[in-house]
Amino acid sequence: MTGLLEQHIAVVTGGGSGIGRAIALGYAREGAHVAVLDADADAAAATAKAITGARGEASSLQLDVTEREKCREVATQIGATMGKVSILVNNAGINRRNAFTADREAVIKDWQDIMAVNLNGVFNVTHAFLEQLRATRGRIVNIGSIQSFMHVRTPNSPAYTTSKHGVLGFTRALAAELGKDGVRVNAIGPGFIETPLNEKVRATNPDLVKMFMDHTPLGRTGKPEDIVGPAIFLACDLSAYVTGSIVMADGGYRSI
Ligand SMILES: NC(=O)c1ccc[n+]([C@@H]2O[C@H](COP(=O)([O-])OP(=O)(O)OC[C@H]3O[C@@H](n4cnc5c(N)ncnc54)[C@H](O)[C@@H]3O)[C@@H](O)[C@H]2O)c1
C-alpha cells in the first residue's frame, strides 16, 4: 500500500537518528510532508536530505524538546510555512543506566535529564502543536517502551522506567480528552531496537543482549524499520477507531 499519508503534515521529534529517522523516512514514503526535528541540527538535516533525495517532502529544524518556549516558536513557524500539522510523533528520548542506589549526583542528574526529555519534552511539544492537531483532527503517536509496563531486569535507570510509564499515562489521558475533537492518541512500545541509544550496551554487555533475546519469542533484536509499520498504521486512517492504545513492537517480549 502506498500513499497512506498523502495530504498529511507530520512532525517527528528526535528524527535525526534511530527510530525517529526511520519513521520520518517511512512517513515520507507514504506521502506525508515531514518536519524533522532534533536537538542535533545536522542529524535532522541529514534525515530531511535523505527524504528529499528520495523525492519525498521534508524540512528540518533544530529543536531541543526540553525548551518549552522554543517548542511554541517552532510550532508557529511550521504552521506558517508548511501548514497545520496533522501527525505528531513524540519520539525524542534518552536513557542512562544508573541504578537508584548508584552515585547520588549521577542519580539526581539522570532523573532530571530523563524526565526533562522523555516526559516534559512530550508535554512541551504536544502542547505547542495542540491547536493545529485539533484543527486537523490529527493523530499523536508517542514512543513508549516495554518499560511503559515493567522495569527490565538489567542495571537500568528507574528514571527511564518512570518516564515511559508516564508516556503511556499521558497517552491515555489525552486520548480521553481529545477524542471529542477527533484527535487520536496512541503509543508504540518498542522492544530492544538496534540504535545509537543502546550501541554501547550492545558492544560491551553481551549478557544483557542475551537476556533480552532469551525473553523475546522472535529471537532477534529489532531494527528501526520494525517500528515504521506500527507508526504508519497509527497515523493513517487504517486505525480510525484506535485511540488510547499502545502497539507493542517488541518481538513478543511481554508475552513470556
Ligand atoms: N532503541 C531501543 O531499543 C528503544 C526501545 C524502546 C523505546 N525506545 C525509545 O525510542 C525513542 C527513540 O530512541 P532511539 O533508540 O531511536 O534513540 P537514538 O539515540 O538513536 O535517537 C534519539 C534522537 O533523539 C534526539 N534527542 C535527544 N534528546 C533530545 C532533545 N532534548 N530534544 C530533541 N531531540 C533529542 C537525539 O539527538 C537523537 O537524534 C526514544 O524515546 C527511546 O526511549 C528505544
Side-chain angles (χ1 to χ4, degrees):
M1 225 177 270
T2 52
L4 287 170
L5 300 178
E6 256 156 36
Q7 312 301 330
H8 281 282
I9 297 173
V11 161
V12 182
T13 69
S17 174
I19 292 169
R21 179 183 161 88
I23 292 174
L25 288 160
Y27 279 5
R29 279 197 300 273
E30 292 298 333
H33 186 168
V34 183
V36 183
L37 308 183
D38 204 292
D40 180 338
D42 292 341
T47 299
K49 194 173 171 201
I51 290 172
T52 53
R55 295 168 184 253
E57 282 189 288
S59 312
S60 70
L61 282 168
Q62 196 271 344
L63 179 68
D64 180 336
V65 299
T66 67
E67 296 176 9
R68 190 166 298 160
E69 273 317 303
K70 185 82 192 299
C71 290
R72 301 200 79 78
E73 287 168 26
V74 163
T76 303
Q77 188 180 341
I78 289 173
T81 56
M82 292 172 66
K84 287 192 174 71
V85 165
S86 52
I87 300 168
L88 167 62
V89 182
N90 283 308
N91 164 79
I94 58 171
N95 193 9
R96 302 209 194 99
R97 292 174 197 274
N98 285 310
F100 195 59
T101 47
D103 171 72
R104 185 172 177 275
E105 295 305 317
V107 170
I108 291 172
K109 185 161 172 33
D110 283 0
W111 185 269
Q112 289 173 339
D113 292 352
I114 289 171
M115 290 303 167
V117 180
N118 294 11
L119 204 45
N120 291 339
V122 172
F123 171 88
N124 293 341
V125 179
T126 306
H127 204 242
F129 283 101
L130 181 61
E131 289 319 314
Q132 295 183 38
L133 289 161
R134 290 174 84 191
T136 55
R137 300 175 74 80
R139 299 96 208 252
I140 300 171
V141 180
N142 297 321
I143 304 301
S145 168
I146 290 168
Q147 286 170 249
S148 291
F149 297 93
M150 60 179 65
H151 190 63
V152 291
R153 285 173 300 150
T154 62
N156 213 321
S157 157
Y160 187 81
T161 296
T162 307
S163 73
K164 291 299 182 183
H165 274 63
V167 166
L168 182 55
F170 184 68
T171 302
R172 289 171 170 155
L174 281 203
E177 186 174 341
L178 299 181
K180 66 180 182 322
D181 298 325
V183 178
R184 296 188 293 103
V185 190
N186 291 290
I188 297 173
F192 192 94
I193 311 296
E194 289 189 21
T195 73
L197 186 82
N198 49 37
E199 206 162 29
K200 192 167 152 213
V201 172
R202 282 183 281 117
T204 59
N205 197 343
D207 288 347
L208 185 147
V209 179
K210 183 175 181 314
M211 185 283 295
F212 259 98
M213 290 312 100
D214 287 349
H215 205 286
T216 300
L218 291 183
R220 65 168 176 87
T221 54
K223 307 279 184 201
E225 191 62 30
D226 288 315
I227 309 303
V228 176
I232 292 170
F233 168 70
L234 291 175
C236 80
D237 291 343
L238 289 173
S239 58
Y241 201 52
V242 180
T243 196
S245 286
I246 183 165
V247 174
M248 298 308 294
D250 62 358
Y253 188 95
R254 281 210 321 133
S255 63
I256 57 175

